[in-house]
Amino acid sequence: MFPAAVSGNPKVQRKKFSIRDTIYGPALPFMFNMMFLMIPYGAVIAYSSICAQEKGLSAFLPYFYIFLVAGMLVSKLSAQKMIDAGRHRVLVYISLAVLILTMLSYLFLNSGIHLLVAGFFFGLGYGILQPLFQAFVTGTTPAPQQGVANATYMLSYDVGIGIGSLLMGFMQKSIGLPLGFALTAIAYAIGGVVYLSYVDGYYRRLRQK
């Protein structure tokens, strides 16, 4: 009886592995845009401890990450209603302005309080951007493709963080970390231009389909 029951089960057809099946095309613009926005994140996460040591602020470093997480929590609680209401463009502008000013402030980093405030606003900006771009992807993807769409989008985190870490490794010895952090704000400007010139309209067209 047992073999007969097993043999009666429908056979599962396994598809051959294909790189094309691991990438969801409509999510690529969101991935490309977020990749630029994650470059400073990679720089800060990888080199904040070294920067704090150079400035004699190592004692504040554990609290830096606590303030970063606190900023993320505050942004998620305060911005969720605006995300649900579709006020995406305003949120992108606000978060980019906050993040650009935060990175530029590293040029004047000399106190523990400054380091903690920078951590809070850094978390605040990313606490808005990360769920916002995630909403772009999930809100424009049919349910059967949401898994591969999210995987495609999440590649932006790995690529952006990797680029940011690599760039700061080069800039650490040549120009120093404070100036290097400040220069990564250029990536926010590029990401903002990409969003304004293409991704915002692209998202709205997908939503209308």
Side-chain angles (χ1 to χ4, degrees):
M1 295 292 293
F2 181 73
V6 172
S7 62
N9 291 336
K11 294 183 178 180
V12 177
Q13 294 183 349
R14 299 184 181 275
K15 297 175 61 177
K16 292 183 178 180
F17 174 78
S18 173
I19 294 179
R20 181 179 298 180
D21 293 335
T22 65
I23 300 295
Y24 184 68
L28 287 174
F30 303 122
M31 170 191 165
F32 182 70
N33 199 172
M34 195 63 183
M35 179 190 72
F36 284 104
L37 304 180
M38 292 301 295
I39 289 174
Y41 187 90
V44 169
I45 294 301
Y47 284 90
S48 284
S49 59
I50 300 176
C51 184
Q53 290 174 4
E54 291 179 352
K55 295 291 185 177
L57 304 173
S58 297
F60 292 88
L61 189 61
Y63 304 102
F64 169 82
Y65 294 106
I66 293 174
F67 273 69
L68 189 154
V69 172
M72 286 188 169
L73 291 175
V74 169
S75 66
K76 291 180 185 298
L77 293 174
S78 59
Q80 189 59 52
K81 289 184 178 180
M82 293 182 69
I83 293 176
D84 295 339
R87 301 181 64 182
H88 301 147
R89 187 180 297 176
V90 174
L91 287 171
V92 170
Y93 295 157
I94 291 174
S95 58
L96 288 180
V98 167
L99 289 169
I100 288 173
L101 291 174
T102 299
M103 298 310 293
L104 291 177
S105 77
Y106 274 93
L107 289 170
F108 314 101
L109 178 64
N110 285 306
S111 70
I113 297 298
H114 186 162
L115 182 67
L116 299 182
V117 172
F120 178 83
F121 282 105
F122 193 71
L124 189 71
Y126 276 102
I128 296 173
L129 282 178
Q130 289 174 339
L132 183 58
F133 273 77
Q134 188 80 38
F136 290 169
V137 176
T138 57
T140 57
T141 305
Q145 284 81 40
Q146 284 189 359
V148 67
N150 284 325
T152 301
Y153 162 73
M154 293 300 290
L155 282 175
S156 64
Y157 287 31
D158 297 331
V159 175
I161 289 173
I163 293 173
S165 302
L166 183 64
L167 286 176
M168 288 307 299
F170 289 124
M171 291 191 288
Q172 179 187 1
K173 293 183 178 179
S174 58
I175 62 176
L177 290 178
L179 180 56
F181 282 149
L183 287 177
T184 62
I186 296 173
Y188 291 135
I190 296 174
V193 170
V194 172
Y195 170 78
L196 178 62
S197 62
Y198 181 68
V199 171
D200 182 44
Y202 176 79
Y203 167 74
R204 297 178 187 279
R205 289 193 298 271
L206 287 180
R207 289 285 291 171
Q208 293 172 358
K209 290 184 178 180

